[in-house]
Amino acid sequence: MEFNLSLFLLALPIAFGLGWMASRLDIRQLRLENRQAPKAYFRGLNFLLNEQQDQAIDAFIEAVQNDPDTSELHFALGNLFRRRGEYERAVRVHEHLLSRGDLSQEDRQRAQHALALDFLKAGLLDRAENALEKLEGTRYEAQARMARLAIYERAHDWVPAAEVAAKLESSGQGSFAIRQAHYLCEQAELLRAKGQGPEALPLLTQAQQTAPTLARPRMAQAQLLAAQARHAEAYSVLKQALHAAPQSTALIAPELARQAMACGLAPEALQLLQQHYRNSPSLDLMDAIANLNTSLGHDATAVRQAYAEHLQREPSLVAAAKWLHDEPLSHSELKPLVQRALEHATKPLNRYRCAACGFEAKTHFWQCPGCQAWDSYPAKRVEEL
């Protein structure tokens, strides 16, 4: 077959042109795809910054569909679902990430941490605990341990809480001695409630050694001793508590006065509390002194005078109501009405208030029922803050 040079020369530019057009189409398609994904991504960011979460989710879903292998978009989408309270969808996103074989070790740990947060926010504490345990040995280890600690405290699982707290302290995350002492006190309280007081005493002794400046272990020990009619020992323990934890004098004083009266040491206790009152006056301390005065047979005038002196030092509506209780008035028929009005007005002032969240309660708590913070209740009442 004879080679036709003219046809070859004619076909050459045609083939070149077709090749050039094909390459242009491929480049244009690539540019279009690369332009679409970032556009959807940045549109989602814009919606997010404007707090338009619904539109942001739609934009991120579009971006993920255009590029399903982009892990960052999955993380952004999962976080959005969690913030909106759509925990099931957030879990699916993060579980999908964990199922990918091409995910880097760093992103795998990040996805595991995000999954644990999903379970925590959803209140699935068992699944959250399992997810958090898988973060041991990762860069999220400290955060995971703190989250597990919160779970155990919420569930009142004091033994595993103590184990995690010990790990946190050994890894340099701060001192957890106060919490450890509270955990021992909580275990002792459970034993006491079951009628196993003698078994609780060693735990309280350990708690005192763990946190010597914490009043709670000695106060709990005194209660156990008092329940066994060992009032002199209980009084001695409370005296130690006054020395070790002067910041909790207002909490210790009422029980110390009761134990002193039970074992015949009221004069000594009165002198001791009066000394503490001069250094740091408070309403509960004043009440304890008044009770001791009454038990020693002192007349009502001395008690009223004590409240009057407190009023001179501290303006207090509560103290005024207590002074008025035994004060003779010229209009005796009005006294019950005035007394009732004052008692009503002082009820909110007699409460304790959490310094962390502001939760108020009639009784003092070592752990706030509202925010779960430890030792967030001052020893003094609302009026004295």
Side-chain angles (χ1 to χ4, degrees):
M1 181 177 176
E2 185 178 348
F3 178 71
N4 191 332
L5 183 59
S6 61
L7 290 176
F8 175 76
L9 293 175
L10 181 62
L12 188 60
I14 295 174
F16 178 78
L18 291 173
W20 180 84
M21 290 178 63
S23 66
R24 293 296 297 172
L25 288 173
D26 289 341
I27 292 173
R28 185 175 299 173
Q29 181 65 24
L30 182 62
R31 286 179 177 175
L32 180 61
E33 291 176 354
N34 289 337
R35 191 181 296 118
Q36 285 176 345
K39 184 177 179 181
Y41 178 71
F42 288 120
R43 191 167 67 249
L45 284 178
N46 183 54
F47 285 133
L48 190 59
L49 290 172
N50 290 311
E51 299 184 357
Q52 297 174 279
Q53 294 188 7
D54 290 336
Q55 294 89 332
I57 286 176
D58 293 338
F60 281 131
I61 289 176
E62 179 185 345
V64 169
Q65 289 173 343
N66 290 331
D67 190 0
D69 294 329
T70 304
S71 59
E72 286 298 330
L73 293 179
H74 284 78
F75 282 121
L77 190 58
N79 290 338
L80 272 177
F81 283 142
R82 189 194 312 129
R83 287 177 59 184
R84 282 179 50 84
E86 300 182 50
Y87 304 120
E88 187 176 348
R89 299 179 74 181
V91 166
R92 287 204 301 268
V93 169
H94 294 131
E95 285 182 337
H96 169 71
L97 278 172
L98 288 170
S99 68
R100 284 173 48 179
D102 61 338
L103 202 64
S104 67
Q105 186 66 20
E106 182 178 352
D107 280 347
R108 188 169 299 279
Q109 294 174 5
R110 183 180 171 189
Q112 184 68 40
H113 181 248
L115 182 63
L117 293 180
D118 296 338
F119 290 141
L120 276 175
K121 291 292 186 179
L124 303 173
L125 300 186
D126 290 341
R127 299 181 69 180
E129 181 185 352
N130 293 333
L132 290 166
E133 287 176 348
K134 295 178 181 177
L135 292 169
E136 288 289 318
T138 71
R139 67 188 183 97
Y140 297 99
E141 181 180 73
Q143 299 176 46
R145 285 176 176 174
M146 287 300 299
R148 286 170 59 200
L149 191 65
I151 290 174
Y152 295 139
E153 287 184 357
R154 184 174 173 182
H156 293 182
D157 291 337
W158 306 117
V159 174
E163 294 173 355
V164 173
K167 290 180 180 179
L168 283 165
E169 185 163 353
S170 64
S171 63
Q173 298 299 317
S175 174
F176 287 80
I178 297 294
R179 286 200 187 195
Q180 293 276 33
H182 279 299
Y183 298 158
L184 291 167
C185 291
E186 292 288 348
Q187 294 175 61
E189 178 62 25
L190 291 174
L191 290 173
R192 188 194 66 79
K194 295 177 182 177
Q196 300 175 355
E199 290 85 348
L201 284 172
L203 293 174
L204 296 175
T205 302
Q206 184 182 349
Q208 293 172 33
Q209 296 168 351
T210 302
T213 60
L214 185 65
R216 184 183 183 184
R218 289 183 174 87
M219 292 178 66
Q221 182 182 2
Q223 290 176 352
L224 286 175
L225 292 170
Q228 300 171 20
R230 296 159 65 181
H231 301 292
E233 293 177 65
Y235 173 73
S236 177
V237 170
L238 290 170
K239 281 178 62 179
Q240 297 172 19
L242 279 180
H243 177 73
Q247 73 280 1
S248 299
T249 297
L251 296 176
I252 300 167
E255 186 61 28
L256 183 140
R258 281 191 289 271
Q259 297 309 315
M261 289 185 283
C263 65
L265 293 173
E268 177 188 318
L270 179 60
Q271 184 178 0
L272 177 63
L273 294 184
Q274 284 175 337
Q275 179 182 351
H276 278 275
Y277 179 82
R278 285 191 291 269
N279 296 330
S280 180
S282 74
L283 288 171
D284 289 293
L285 190 50
M286 188 71 259
D287 285 342
I289 292 172
N291 290 335
L292 287 169
N293 274 315
T294 302
S295 72
L296 292 171
H298 298 167
D299 59 20
T301 304
V303 175
R304 290 198 304 274
Q305 182 60 30
Y307 283 117
E309 291 175 0
H310 183 82
L311 285 169
Q312 291 174 356
R313 299 185 62 169
E314 303 284 339
S316 169
L317 190 61
V318 176
K322 292 183 178 181
W323 171 84
L324 181 64
H325 187 271
D326 294 317
E327 178 68 15
L329 294 179
S330 57
H331 299 284
S332 57
E333 71 278 2
L334 293 178
K335 182 180 176 180
L337 301 177
V338 175
Q339 186 70 37
R340 186 164 61 249
L342 281 173
E343 289 175 355
H344 179 75
T346 56
K347 278 185 179 179
L349 303 178
N350 267 316
R351 294 174 175 269
Y352 294 96
R353 179 187 296 154
C354 174
C357 70
F359 187 91
E360 293 187 1
K362 293 180 180 179
T363 57
H364 181 274
F365 286 100
W366 298 105
Q367 185 184 26
C368 176
C371 66
Q372 308 298 311
W374 291 99
D375 294 314
S376 59
Y377 276 86
K380 294 189 175 183
R381 299 177 186 271
V382 168
E383 189 185 45
E384 301 175 284
L385 296 179

